[in-house]
């Protein structure tokens, strides 16, 4: 477990199923994530995701808990081949928990974990152009904008820019 104040990153548990399904089944969440996240998001999707996280050799995907209450997901995806010292970060916070600084602290915790405990040299991500809040979360944690991939994303039938961020050890 990784903890700072009221925020804890911990492995997902079976008892997270209902809260995960309820919070993830929100189009506002889905609008800022890749289409691989099902929408609508069902309890069966939550079960499958929880089981998938148990297959990780090193813990890389965590429940975000605020005051011991499940409120979102954060994870790293290790890259392969010549990018094997790089991970991609992804995260979301359930809407009832927005604007409390939870994402900022969660990103801080997992970034330190990835760089110092897992040995990654670089962590990166891409943010949809219409999500400045997530860009600010990264910037508060020392991530720098590498550039903008113009017209590189398709979401909700529209073409969007992707803002790429990274942090280096």
């Amino acid at each position: 477990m990784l903890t700072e104040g009221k925020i804890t990153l911990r492995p997902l548990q079976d008892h997270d199923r209902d809260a995960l399904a309820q919070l993830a089944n929100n189009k506002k969440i889905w609008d800022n994530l890749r289409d691989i996240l099902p929408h609508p998001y069902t309890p069966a999707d939550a079960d499958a995701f929880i089981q998938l996280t148990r297959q990780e050799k090193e813990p890389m995907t965590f429940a975000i808990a605020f005051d011991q209450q499940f409120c979102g997901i954060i994870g790293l995806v290790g890259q392969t081949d010549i990018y094997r010292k790089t991970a991609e970060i992804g995260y979301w916070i359930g809407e009832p928990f927005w604007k409390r600084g939870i994402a900022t602290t969660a990103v801080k915790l997992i970034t330190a974990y990835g760089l110092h405990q897992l040995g990654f040299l670089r962590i990166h991500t891409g943010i949809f152009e219409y999500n400045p809040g997530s860009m600010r979360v990264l910037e508060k944690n020392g991530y720098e904008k590498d550039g903008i991939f113009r017209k590189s994303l398709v979401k909700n039938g529209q073409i969007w820019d992707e803002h790429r961020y990274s942090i280096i050890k």
Side-chain angles (χ1 to χ4, degrees):
M1 284 196 313
L2 308 168
T3 302
E4 182 174 309
K6 293 184 173 189
I7 298 161
T8 301
L9 307 187
R10 59 167 176 74
L12 280 112
Q13 303 295 324
D14 290 335
H15 64 79
D16 294 321
R17 171 188 189 247
D18 292 339
L20 171 56
Q22 180 184 0
L23 293 173
N25 189 34
N26 179 335
K27 189 162 183 307
K28 292 178 185 177
I29 300 294
W30 184 81
D31 282 344
N32 290 295
L33 300 175
R34 293 182 181 173
D35 289 346
I36 194 167
L37 183 82
H39 186 73
Y41 196 93
T42 67
D45 294 320
D47 284 334
F49 182 73
I50 291 167
Q51 291 306 315
L52 185 66
T53 67
R54 292 185 176 148
Q55 298 173 20
E56 297 174 341
K57 291 177 185 164
E58 294 271 358
M60 303 269 278
T61 306
F62 299 92
I64 304 169
F66 176 73
D67 210 11
Q68 301 182 357
Q69 185 178 4
F70 176 91
C71 67
I73 298 288
I74 193 163
L76 297 171
V77 177
Q79 306 299 286
T80 61
D81 195 40
I82 61 172
Y83 301 107
R84 64 188 164 271
K85 290 299 216 172
T86 298
E88 182 176 13
I89 187 174
Y91 53 90
W92 62 265
I93 303 293
E95 187 175 7
F97 299 93
W98 289 356
K99 300 189 186 303
R100 296 188 193 185
I102 298 168
T104 299
T105 300
V107 167
K108 176 183 176 182
L109 290 168
I110 203 165
T111 298
Y113 173 73
L115 295 176
H116 302 296
Q117 290 181 252
L118 297 179
F120 290 112
L121 299 178
R122 180 176 193 275
I123 300 175
H124 70 212
T125 194
I127 306 295
F128 300 178
E129 70 177 87
Y130 52 80
N131 190 353
S134 195
M135 292 179 209
R136 186 72 189 117
V137 163
L138 294 167
E139 291 164 355
K140 287 179 187 176
N141 280 291
Y143 284 73
E144 295 181 5
K145 188 179 287 191
D146 291 328
I148 299 173
F149 288 22
R150 296 180 318 157
K151 308 301 176 206
S152 60
L153 305 173
V154 178
K155 188 69 179 183
N156 289 319
Q158 293 185 291
I159 308 292
W160 302 98
D161 293 346
E162 179 184 39
H163 293 239
R164 287 285 184 111
Y165 283 82
S166 69
I167 192 166
I168 297 170
K169 185 175 181 181

